[in-house]
Amino acid sequence: MAEFIAYLIAGIATGAIYALAAIGFTLVWQTSQTINFAQGEFVMLPAVLVLLAIKLLGAPIWLGALIGIAAFILVFGVGFKLTVVDPMIKHGVLPLAITTMALSIIMKEGAKDGFSAEAQNFPSFVPSQTIQVFGASISLQHLAIIAVAFAVIGALQWFVGGTRLGRQMQATAQNPTVARILGIPVERMVLLTFVINAALAVVASVLISPIYLAKFSNGEVIGLFAFIAAIVGGFNQVRGALVGGLIVGIVDSMAAAYISTQYRLAVPLVLLVVIILLKPEGLMGRKEERRV
């Protein structure tokens, strides 16, 4: 039982990271019909930029974190929207999707060649200690990940549903044409969504890098599992992305513990196939009809 609890907490912590990335997937898709296949690299890169700022500038940790995070949000929040999405979306969803795939390769190889091909330690703001819960050894870092991730997601839900700016974002996502008629600055709302996506990626990166280290290849699994989580939960629902992330994280943890570490990547893929066959809109998604 103690072992099961430990794996469950680890799975929830990992699932919270997947949920943050998956929510970014859904927000960007809802407002701009963009699928960002570089989302995993978006989670990988902030930690690399922070360490790069500390190394090159000789800055203290807090200043390096501030510089790295600000640079990432500026370039991959605002810059990504203006220089990649806006020019490519005019040509359709498929060319844009291919462009984000190319961007993911550029980001990964850039981090490898420009920073390091080896995993680097990332400073943790939480002691790497364990506590005993019902006889199970639970990492304080895992508990911190769960607490911070849920706090951020809760704050995002409040912002989207409880503020005027958030409701304008929802209106933009639901019907941009009507939103424009009502005087909502649609382009600004879409840009804000991309900034929020970059901020969520920063939070995920800072939370997971102390455990899994800062490495150029970290985005591969995170991006894949976050995409699966978004589909499993429902690509058009933020709460669906949260549920999907937790399910995928727990399934991944349990598969590694009780099935095989060699086949742990296959189990979430099986889950994805089952969901697509039985409930294509996702566990919490809603069906959509579009005229073509």
Side-chain angles (χ1 to χ4, degrees):
M1 184 64 181
E3 186 180 64
F4 176 81
I5 293 174
Y7 288 130
L8 178 63
I9 297 297
I12 293 174
T14 305
I17 300 297
Y18 297 152
L20 287 170
I23 288 171
F25 265 123
T26 60
L27 286 176
V28 169
W29 169 255
Q30 286 176 344
T31 56
S32 65
Q33 301 298 291
T34 300
I35 299 179
N36 179 19
F37 285 107
Q39 188 76 351
E41 280 63 39
F42 272 42
V43 176
M44 172 274 296
L45 195 60
V48 171
L49 292 179
V50 168
L51 293 181
L52 202 58
I54 294 172
K55 180 180 178 181
L56 294 181
L57 303 178
I61 294 176
W62 67 269
L63 183 58
L66 187 62
I67 294 172
I69 290 171
F72 177 83
I73 291 178
L74 181 63
V75 175
F76 292 97
V78 178
F80 174 63
K81 167 66 168 58
L82 298 179
T83 62
V84 177
V85 176
D86 284 352
M88 293 305 301
I89 195 65
K90 301 173 184 178
H91 303 287
V93 175
L94 182 58
L96 178 56
I98 295 173
T99 302
T100 62
M101 294 177 192
L103 178 63
S104 72
I105 297 173
I106 293 171
M107 293 172 70
K108 182 171 67 174
E109 294 302 319
K112 178 182 177 182
D113 296 334
F115 176 61
S116 175
E118 302 297 327
Q120 302 292 319
N121 290 321
F122 190 84
S124 174
F125 301 100
V126 179
S128 56
Q129 299 175 357
T130 60
I131 60 174
Q132 296 295 316
V133 178
F134 299 110
S137 296
I138 307 299
S139 169
L140 288 178
Q141 290 180 328
H142 284 156
L143 295 178
I145 288 174
I146 295 170
V148 173
F150 274 81
V152 169
I153 293 171
L156 178 62
Q157 286 282 64
W158 169 81
F159 171 76
V160 172
T163 66
R164 184 167 179 259
L165 200 58
R167 287 190 288 271
Q168 288 180 339
M169 285 178 55
Q170 288 190 68
T172 299
Q174 292 170 4
N175 196 319
T177 302
V178 174
R180 283 192 179 91
I181 294 174
L182 295 175
I184 295 173
V186 171
E187 287 74 17
R188 194 180 304 170
M189 292 301 104
V190 175
L191 179 60
L192 178 59
T193 302
F194 279 83
V195 172
I196 291 174
N197 176 49
L200 291 174
V202 166
V203 173
S205 184
V206 171
L207 290 177
I208 199 170
S209 295
I211 299 177
Y212 292 99
L213 307 180
K215 190 177 182 182
F216 72 94
S217 59
N218 281 352
E220 296 173 357
V221 173
I222 294 174
L224 174 62
F225 281 9
F227 186 65
I228 293 174
I231 296 176
V232 167
F235 221 96
N236 51 20
Q237 292 288 336
V238 170
R239 63 178 181 272
L242 171 60
V243 172
L246 295 178
I247 290 175
V248 171
I250 293 172
V251 167
D252 175 48
S253 179
M254 295 302 174
Y258 297 111
I259 300 177
S260 171
T261 55
Q262 296 179 341
Y263 296 103
R264 66 182 299 179
L265 293 178
V267 177
L269 292 174
V270 172
L271 173 64
L272 173 64
V273 172
V274 171
I275 292 296
I276 290 176
L277 291 175
L278 299 181
K279 205 171 189 295
E281 69 274 17
L283 295 176
M284 302 187 70
R286 60 177 183 271
K287 293 182 179 180
E288 293 183 349
E289 295 183 2
R290 295 185 182 181
R291 293 181 179 179
V292 294

